[in-house]
Amino acid sequence: MVLMAAMMGTAQPALLTFPQERPVFLREYSTNHYSVVSYFLSRLTIEVLVTALQCFFLVLVSFLLFGFQSNFFFFYINTYALAMVSTALAVMLGCTVEDPKLATEMMRIVFVPQLLFAGFFVSPSLIPSWLRWLRYVFSLTYVMRLGVLEEFSDCHGQKASIACDALIDAVDAESDESWSYWIILAVLFIFFRLSALFFLQRKATKFL
């Protein structure tokens, strides 16, 4: 639930940013105040800092209230990684549309399925095989696996160990593949950001 809150809470403001700022951006871009890349990088810098603060307070309060077993720094980095990838996806969607209302509707279509395919609410084995591949393109899948491995890999007691192992198996998490989860998250972030820059460039060129 903490990961889902981080995903939705940071993505929604980022999704609405460009549709709302579009008239100002196009006007200033058409008068050569700045380039698309400089505007994009300035927005990215702000998002990196704001998202870091949002995740820190979310993780701090959650960590103290729930008493997680995982390391605080790992918990923060894992949550921050999800927030940044989700924000990158939201920015990409925001750069493809002009109407903020349409952007809001698109967010539900993209982010809600992640709750089902990540493996927590519905076991991957229960998902039809022709739909199961979708979980590999969702960032929540990999962050969920990393979080579950960190939290439940060292359970004390026989019954607790059985329950923890069952949960780890339910989300298809493999401790030996943890490094690949981080790489995939980085690839998704870069892909979404570059796609957003591409769509933003096309929108600006089309306006001119």
Side-chain angles (χ1 to χ4, degrees):
M1 298 305 295
V2 174
L3 294 176
M4 294 173 190
M7 179 181 69
M8 303 298 292
T10 56
Q12 185 170 3
L15 180 63
L16 298 175
T17 296
F18 181 75
Q20 292 175 344
E21 295 182 354
R22 182 176 181 273
V24 177
F25 164 72
L26 293 178
R27 183 177 66 250
E28 295 181 350
Y29 175 74
S30 64
T31 54
N32 294 323
H33 279 72
Y34 44 71
S35 65
V36 174
V37 175
S38 60
Y39 170 78
F40 188 80
L41 291 178
S42 66
R43 291 300 314 172
L44 176 59
T45 303
I46 294 174
E47 289 164 8
V48 167
L49 297 175
V50 172
T51 303
L53 290 175
Q54 288 178 321
C55 290
F56 176 76
F57 290 113
L58 174 64
V59 170
L60 179 63
V61 174
S62 303
F63 197 85
L64 295 176
L65 286 178
F66 299 133
F68 289 111
Q69 294 187 99
S70 61
N71 179 270
F72 176 83
F73 180 73
F74 179 91
F75 188 32
Y76 173 70
I77 293 299
N78 195 35
T79 306
Y80 182 62
L82 173 63
M84 289 305 300
V85 178
S86 301
T87 301
L89 176 57
V91 170
M92 184 188 72
L93 294 177
C95 290
T96 61
V97 298
E98 301 176 5
D99 187 0
K101 293 182 179 179
L102 179 58
T104 304
E105 295 299 326
M106 290 180 64
M107 186 183 72
R108 297 189 183 99
I109 297 174
V110 174
F111 288 102
V112 172
Q114 296 200 49
L115 309 182
L116 300 177
F117 287 96
F120 186 78
F121 290 113
V122 180
S123 176
S125 61
L126 299 178
I127 301 175
S129 57
W130 59 278
L131 278 177
R132 202 173 300 165
W133 64 271
L134 284 172
R135 60 186 172 142
Y136 296 111
V137 300
F138 293 141
S139 57
L140 184 59
T141 299
Y142 305 103
V143 174
M144 183 76 70
R145 290 178 179 180
L146 290 168
V148 168
L149 286 172
E150 178 69 15
E151 183 69 23
F152 299 105
S153 292
D154 188 20
C155 295
H156 303 287
Q158 183 178 2
K159 292 184 178 180
S161 297
I162 294 174
C164 291
D165 292 340
L167 178 58
I168 293 174
D169 293 337
V171 298
D172 284 349
E174 297 288 344
S175 58
D176 296 336
E177 298 180 2
S178 296
W179 60 272
S180 65
Y181 301 154
W182 289 110
I183 293 176
I184 294 173
L185 289 171
V187 170
L188 289 174
F189 174 78
I190 294 173
F191 173 77
F192 292 143
R193 284 292 176 178
L194 292 179
S195 298
L197 181 60
F198 171 76
F199 290 125
L200 186 61
Q201 180 72 49
R202 288 196 62 183
K203 289 285 185 180
T205 305
K206 182 179 179 181
F207 175 78
L208 295 177

